[in-house]
């Protein structure tokens, strides 16, 4: 399944027409790797993204352990991540750093092909069943897996995308 998700991401990268569509970065960072700090940090080691403001734990034995990190993608888009981690539960929220690109906000556009590839990538990631709820203000996707629940929200339409964020909850022990 990872191969199929990588194929969809390659399709997203190859699609032309949008200046800075954040959907590919959202899929790669927040959905495919956002279920644990270890996966996020291995992406740093591979050079997939960089991290600024790494979290620092006050006490590694306290619960919940929490923090925040800011990830910068090769596209230049930044995502803020806030997390809490318990022994058997991980919860994180990822949000496109809209203020950092406010002067480029008019560039946040996605083509129909990029939106379709993003939706196919959500399904191909095999994290669980995907439910889509489209409203006038945007689209929400609920992904329900065996031990993972994600809500992916894309605010706006593809012509005038305003923001994107992901909320993740992972039960580490079934």
């Amino acid at each position: 399944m990872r191969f199929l998700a990588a194929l969809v991401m390659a399709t997203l990268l190859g699609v032309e027409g949008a200046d800075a569509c954040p959907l590919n970065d959202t899929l790669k960072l927040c959905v495919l790797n956002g279920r644990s700090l270890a996966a996020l940090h291995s992406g740093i080691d591979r050079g997939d993204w960089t991290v600024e403001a790494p979290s620092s734990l006050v006490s590694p034995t306290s619960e919940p352990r929490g923090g925040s990190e800011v990830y910068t993608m090769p596209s230049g888009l930044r995502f803020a991540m806030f997390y809490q981690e318990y022994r058997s539960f991980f919860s994180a929220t990822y949000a496109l750093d809209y203020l950092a690109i406010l002067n480029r906000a008019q560039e946040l556009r996605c083509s129909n092909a990029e939106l379709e590839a993003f939706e196919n990538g959500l399904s191909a990631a095999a994290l669980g069943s995907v439910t889509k709820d489209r409203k006038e203000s945007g689209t929400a996707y609920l992904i329900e897996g065996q031990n993972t629940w994600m809500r992916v929200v894309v605010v706006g339409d593809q012509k005038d995308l305003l923001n994107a964020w992901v909320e993740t909850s992972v039960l580490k022990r079934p």
Side-chain angles (χ1 to χ4, degrees):
M1 282 307 183
R2 288 253 187 219
F3 172 76
L4 189 54
L7 180 64
V8 170
M9 286 177 19
T11 302
L12 271 170
L13 288 172
V15 174
E16 305 216 4
D19 294 339
C21 180
L23 296 179
N24 183 47
D25 289 345
T26 301
L27 181 65
K28 186 175 184 179
L29 177 77
C30 309
V31 176
L32 295 177
N33 292 285
R35 292 179 288 156
S36 73
L37 288 175
L40 291 167
H41 292 172
S42 69
I44 296 165
D45 296 338
R46 288 189 309 269
D48 293 341
W49 46 76
T50 60
V51 66
E52 303 164 28
S55 59
S56 58
L57 300 174
V58 175
S59 169
T61 59
S62 67
E63 282 199 20
R65 291 179 294 270
S68 63
E69 298 180 343
V70 177
Y71 292 91
T72 303
M73 304 301 289
S75 66
L77 295 176
R78 296 168 31 134
F79 288 82
M81 187 269 286
F82 303 92
Y83 73 93
Q84 286 193 329
E85 186 169 31
Y86 301 84
R87 270 182 257 139
S88 60
F89 186 71
F90 177 77
S91 174
T93 301
Y94 303 83
L96 179 63
D97 188 353
Y98 188 72
L99 294 178
I101 57 165
L102 196 53
N103 60 342
R104 294 178 44 203
Q106 70 278 7
E107 297 175 17
L108 290 180
R109 289 183 168 69
C110 299
S111 68
N112 288 333
E114 286 170 316
L115 185 58
E116 185 177 321
F118 174 72
E119 290 179 356
N120 290 337
L122 289 177
S123 296
L127 299 175
S129 64
V130 179
T131 305
K132 177 177 162 181
D133 185 19
R134 185 173 300 231
K135 302 285 185 197
E136 187 176 318
S137 60
T139 305
Y141 304 89
L142 177 63
I143 302 168
E144 296 177 278
Q146 184 174 357
N147 294 323
T148 303
W149 300 267
M150 287 186 182
R151 183 168 53 161
V152 181
V153 179
V154 178
V155 180
D157 60 23
Q158 69 241 21
K159 294 179 181 129
D160 292 310
L161 194 65
L162 298 176
N163 207 340
W165 73 85
V166 177
E167 296 172 354
T168 301
S169 298
V170 178
L171 182 60
K172 293 194 260 183
R173 294 184 208 156

